[in-house]
Amino acid sequence: MTADYVLETRHLVKEFKGFTAVDGVNLRVKRGTIHALIGPNGAGKTTVFNLLTKFLTPTKGQILYNGEDITSLKSAAIARKGIVRSFQISAVFPHLSVLENVRIALQRKEGNSFHFWTSDKVLNRLNDRALELLDQVGLKSFANTVTVDLSYGRKRALEIATTLALEPEMLLLDEPTQGMGHEDVSVVADLIKKVSQDRTILMVEHNLHVVAKLADTITVLQRGAILTEGDYAEVSQNPQVREAYMGVEADEHQAEAEADKEVVS
């Protein structure tokens, strides 16, 4: 492994009572890039994420982070190393304010996340940093809003802010635009691009328009194994990928891209 890769898996396997969910996956994520993991339902994408963050233990294989073998580490230790995962379902406290959610994440970074009896005077020291993070994700004006009152897209933006509070080197985003309308998808995609500066992002994403817009590298999984890998232009033209996953969507995206070019010219 070279210094160019922040994360690498070697022959990663996960078996469940005879069923192989992840089958010899060799994944290499280049430092400072956005890397997308795509594939049809049941391809093993979320299982790979669960293995990387140790919510599951590999049956075989290795996981390396910055050249260090982290296969045996627990989830909390991996997070402390700098790999932080954002979940498919928004993981925020709905009845706390937007600011309070980020402040709790900052407390966790300081190692006192369960000190709920800490005085407001102490907690208020974290407000400036919390507001900076909210400003990064476009939520500063919603700081005092109760989280349950946010739109779905803004809740995902808040989740990203709480993730950034942990100062991760690498972000794992699990279906960040799932269930969103077109407007929210665009906002969150722009936000992911913005927060990718100076960090690496590995994302599972079904929306091919988002993948095409954001991903430097795309790994396509099928039946737990890597089918192909490359940039969007490469994988979208692969006949096996088109048959297994993209199909008409790839044709539609290609037509839209060509139409955009005509408008620009």
Side-chain angles (χ1 to χ4, degrees):
M1 177 170 174
T2 71
D4 289 340
Y5 296 100
V6 65
L7 182 76
E8 180 183 7
T9 68
R10 295 178 180 172
H11 311 294
L12 198 62
V13 174
K14 182 60 183 178
E15 296 173 347
F16 296 99
K17 296 182 179 178
F19 169 69
T20 303
V22 175
D23 189 6
V25 167
N26 294 305
L27 185 67
R28 294 195 300 176
V29 180
K30 189 173 288 187
R31 190 179 310 279
T33 64
I34 299 177
H35 192 126
L37 200 58
I38 70 171
N41 289 332
K45 305 180 300 295
T46 298
T47 305
V48 168
F49 259 39
N50 286 335
L51 292 170
L52 294 177
T53 50
K54 298 307 296 292
F55 287 89
L56 290 173
T57 301
T59 305
K60 300 174 187 174
Q62 287 179 296
I63 303 167
L64 292 93
Y65 178 64
N66 286 324
E68 177 187 354
D69 189 335
I70 61 169
T71 313
S72 63
L73 296 185
K74 303 292 187 183
S75 296
I78 286 175
R80 285 193 294 271
K81 290 281 185 185
I83 302 176
V84 178
R85 178 178 179 176
S86 175
F87 283 88
Q88 192 171 9
I89 298 171
S90 187
V92 291
F93 296 99
H95 300 296
L96 295 180
S97 74
V98 169
L99 179 68
E100 287 170 331
N101 266 283
V102 179
R103 201 163 63 178
I104 285 173
L106 289 168
Q107 284 180 264
R108 180 182 173 189
K109 176 66 179 175
E110 292 192 347
N112 60 350
S113 56
F114 298 106
H115 292 186
F116 295 113
W117 56 88
T118 304
S119 71
D120 283 344
K121 182 178 179 181
V122 172
L123 292 179
N124 284 339
R125 296 174 190 166
L126 301 175
N127 283 353
D128 287 346
R129 177 59 181 151
L131 289 170
E132 285 178 13
L133 290 166
L134 290 175
D135 193 34
Q136 283 186 39
V137 301
L139 290 179
K140 189 173 182 178
S141 62
F142 294 88
N144 296 317
T145 301
V146 178
T147 299
V148 73
D149 294 331
L150 292 177
S151 69
Y152 184 63
R154 289 194 176 112
K155 284 177 184 174
R156 298 314 301 265
L158 174 58
E159 183 183 350
I160 290 174
T162 61
T163 303
L164 293 179
L166 302 178
E167 298 180 9
E169 179 183 6
M170 183 172 189
L171 271 176
L172 271 59
L173 303 179
D174 194 359
E175 298 281 8
T177 68
Q178 186 184 49
M180 293 183 186
H182 180 73
E183 184 176 341
D184 277 341
V185 167
S186 296
V187 169
V188 171
D190 288 342
L191 173 57
I192 292 169
K193 186 68 175 177
K194 181 180 178 182
V195 302
S196 69
Q197 302 302 314
D198 303 319
R199 58 178 56 87
T200 305
I201 292 179
L202 177 64
M203 60 190 290
V204 167
E205 180 56 61
H206 271 101
N207 189 316
L208 295 182
H209 301 294
V210 173
V211 170
K213 178 179 181 179
L214 295 179
D216 300 296
T217 304
I218 301 165
T219 299
V220 185
L221 290 181
Q222 185 180 32
R223 299 189 183 96
I226 293 178
L227 179 60
T228 190
E229 189 172 87
D231 61 21
Y232 185 82
E234 291 172 315
V235 300
S236 64
Q237 295 305 314
N238 183 298
Q240 291 176 289
V241 173
R242 296 172 78 86
E243 180 182 354
Y245 179 58
M246 294 182 171
V248 175
E249 284 188 79
D251 293 330
E252 289 177 349
H253 186 82
Q254 186 67 26
E256 287 183 11
E258 290 173 359
D260 289 343
K261 288 179 183 177
E262 290 179 9
V263 170
V264 171
S265 60

